[in-house]
Amino acid sequence: MKDSKDYKNFNRKENLKLSSKVVHGGDGVDPATGSLSFPIYQTATFKHSAIEIRDPYNYSRCINPTREELEKTMAILEEGTRAFAVNSGMAATTLVFSLLKPGDHIIMSDDIYGGTFREVNEVLSVNGVEYDSIDLSDLELLKKTIKKNTKMIFVETPTNPMMKVADIEKIAKIGHDIGALVVVDNTFLTPYFQRPLTLGADIVVHSGTKYLGGHNDVLAGIVVVKDSKIGEILEIKMYIYGAGLGPLDSWVMLRGIKTLALRMEKHQENAIKVANWLRKQPKVEQVYYVGFEDHKDYAVTKKQTTGFGGMISFRVDSMETVNKILENLKLVIFAESLGGVESLITHPISRTHTEISEEKRNALGITDTLLRLSVGIEDADDIIADLEQAMK
Ligand SMILES: Cc1ncc(COP(=O)(O)O)c(C=O)c1O
């Protein structure tokens, strides 16, 4: 039987800079028609050409050209061998967690996206996977937490919402010494600022809903792997789970990714201005931003990233100030999610981190006076003016 499924040998555009790669994607133009906007192959199934030929496209749950273009694009950007586009960041994390089996042990960042924690705590642990959630910026603690059955280290860096930074290269080394997979949630910095696979990680996951899509208009998740053997395992699991991203949403993602470089630069430029302004406000007690030179892990950030991104958390003096800010903001929107062009603010304790125990939240510093700001691409002066009037 002929197998015409040769799409893995695509042009990897190795000699291009990332800001060029984002514009030109995987194939870039449609190979069938030359269309510059990659077509939305809105179909569930494909006509077989003959009984003895295994066509590259058969059924959209397994493979769809628009999704495939997005997957090639993400494999190029993260410098992996294979990528999978699924229908949310949680679906991406779930696909990766499917590599674990009962009796395995996973170590993850303590200050992690609440949904990821919930999946480990309420699903994996019920299915016999043990876990520890620890401060992964503390490598000695990591070494002490490792068990004989540790099979995965799941790193979110910077963390959400406390902006702690973990040393990917060192964690990958520790993980590989014991044969564990090292997975990095790269949602906050994106491959524009941080490429975990080049630092030794095995797998990258993204909530594509955030900076990759970039416009708060699509839910998506991405998994990128370094080892093609893991790619083969995940490919089958993706067929089984039926989690593949639909063609229209894949196109929306491709469209968003084209401006990733420009957007990330602007998010960062604005975030630096806003973070420095916040620091000087009498009602603001503490500002957490990885771009501050006095951030505890600044040296690690400088070593492993090319930028700081657009996420800031800050603690204010009272719940009265929290309420004032959330009620009075006019431009910055009180909403969950992050990474879109619009500035969004959220209250982690009541929105994104409800599933973490009170005791743990207090230990981490996720208190009721903590706010998380996703700095958008509006004019920084307008964002600052809005925060200023809301705080008064
Ligand atoms: C860092 C991080 N990872 C994963 C997720 C889950 O992504 P999604 O909401 O697309 O399922 C989120 C969502 O907020 C997130 O912030």
Side-chain angles (χ1 to χ4, degrees):
M1 188 178 272
K2 268 196 263 171
D3 190 349
S4 46
K5 196 173 169 183
D6 62 352
Y7 67 92
K8 286 166 203 159
N9 303 319
F10 55 95
N11 174 4
R12 306 192 65 81
K13 303 182 167 71
E14 255 132 30
N15 45 1
L16 294 182
K17 300 265 190 294
L18 203 114
S19 48
S20 305
K21 289 179 180 176
V22 293
V23 175
H24 291 279
D27 283 326
V29 297
D30 175 28
T33 63
S35 164
L36 245 73
S37 166
F38 204 90
I40 303 165
Y41 283 90
Q42 191 66 46
T43 184
T45 193
F46 300 82
K47 180 177 177 291
H48 297 307
S49 37
I51 195 161
E52 71 282 6
I53 294 177
R54 198 173 306 156
D55 295 289
Y57 304 102
N58 45 27
Y59 187 55
S60 280
R61 173 157 52 76
C62 303
I63 185 166
N64 174 282
T66 319
R67 183 165 77 228
E68 187 188 7
E69 171 65 7
L70 171 60
E71 291 170 340
K72 287 178 181 176
T73 301
M74 284 310 302
I76 289 171
L77 300 184
E78 287 285 8
E79 301 189 35
T81 56
R82 250 348 253 287
F84 302 93
V86 290
N87 41 39
S88 68
M90 283 313 299
T93 303
T94 302
L95 187 60
V96 170
F97 284 163
S98 75
L99 294 168
L100 294 168
K101 47 183 195 324
D104 288 349
H105 174 239
I106 175 175
I107 300 174
M108 62 180 168
S109 315
D110 51 3
D111 166 29
I112 202 167
Y113 170 60
T116 307
F117 176 79
R118 179 193 275 156
E119 174 157 15
V120 174
N121 189 42
E122 294 180 20
V123 182
L124 293 195
S125 69
V126 172
N127 291 330
V129 174
E130 292 178 71
Y131 77 86
D132 275 297
S133 81
I134 61 161
D135 180 354
L136 282 175
S137 58
D138 182 344
L139 297 176
E140 288 313 308
L141 180 61
L142 169 61
K143 286 182 197 157
K144 280 189 217 143
T145 311
I146 282 172
K147 296 184 179 182
K148 277 204 184 92
N149 55 342
T150 303
K151 289 288 154 41
M152 188 178 280
I153 303 174
F154 192 97
V155 190
E156 199 177 286
T157 183
T159 58
N160 179 10
M162 300 311 295
M163 310 295 160
K164 289 193 288 200
V165 175
D167 188 322
I168 298 171
E169 204 169 1
K170 290 196 174 142
I171 292 175
K173 176 129 195 3
I174 294 169
H176 294 160
D177 282 348
I178 54 149
L181 288 171
V182 174
V183 182
V184 177
D185 183 330
N186 202 24
T187 300
F188 271 29
L189 290 183
T190 83
Y192 184 66
F193 284 137
Q194 173 171 277
R195 289 192 282 287
L197 301 184
T198 67
L199 298 163
D202 302 288
I203 302 178
V204 164
V205 297
H206 279 277
S207 169
T209 316
K210 310 298 187 312
Y211 288 106
L212 294 175
H215 295 76
N216 288 319
D217 53 9
V218 65
L219 271 174
I222 301 286
V223 177
V224 190
V225 299
K226 187 154 68 185
D227 178 352
S228 56
K229 292 216 174 60
I230 296 175
E232 280 163 25
I233 298 168
L234 290 183
E235 179 176 3
I236 305 294
K237 293 198 183 251
M238 201 181 85
Y239 298 170
I240 294 168
Y241 290 156
L245 191 63
L248 176 59
D249 286 350
S250 297
W251 184 87
V252 176
M253 286 294 294
L254 282 168
R255 164 82 172 243
I257 288 170
K258 282 180 190 286
T259 55
L260 181 70
L262 276 176
R263 285 186 287 104
M264 291 310 287
E265 288 292 347
K266 181 69 176 164
H267 283 296
Q268 168 165 282
E269 183 191 311
N270 283 355
I272 292 171
K273 287 187 189 157
V274 173
N276 281 310
W277 176 83
L278 278 169
R279 263 192 158 177
K280 294 187 212 119
Q281 302 316 302
K283 288 182 181 158
V284 175
E285 289 182 345
Q286 191 145 11
V287 183
Y288 304 87
Y289 182 56
V290 294
F292 286 147
E293 284 184 23
D294 55 3
H295 183 288
K296 175 174 87 58
D297 306 311
Y298 187 73
V300 181
T301 295
K302 287 297 276 183
K303 183 183 76 161
Q304 69 186 14
T305 77
T306 52
F308 313 117
M311 295 301 300
I312 303 170
S313 292
F314 60 103
R315 193 181 310 285
V316 293
D317 58 355
S318 64
M319 263 316 280
E320 195 196 334
T321 307
V322 168
N323 287 326
K324 232 186 206 176
I325 293 174
L326 297 180
E327 279 164 24
N328 295 334
L329 283 169
K330 294 189 172 71
L331 176 79
V332 179
I333 302 165
F334 176 29
E336 283 174 46
S337 207
L338 59 104
V341 290
E342 300 90 355
S343 291
L344 303 184
I345 193 163
T346 194
H347 184 230
I349 200 169
S350 69
R351 291 299 186 278
T352 51
H353 287 67
T354 47
E355 42 286 289
I356 296 176
S357 71
E358 197 182 337
E359 190 193 350
K360 185 137 205 174
R361 283 192 313 231
N362 284 337
L364 291 170
I366 308 175
T367 62
D368 58 358
T369 52
L370 186 79
L371 291 163
R372 189 194 72 190
L373 181 63
S374 168
V375 182
I377 64 164
E378 303 94 340
D379 193 297
D381 291 344
D382 288 335
I383 301 169
I384 290 170
D386 196 32
L387 287 165
E388 189 166 30
Q389 66 78 25
M391 262 188 228
K392 258 188 200 150

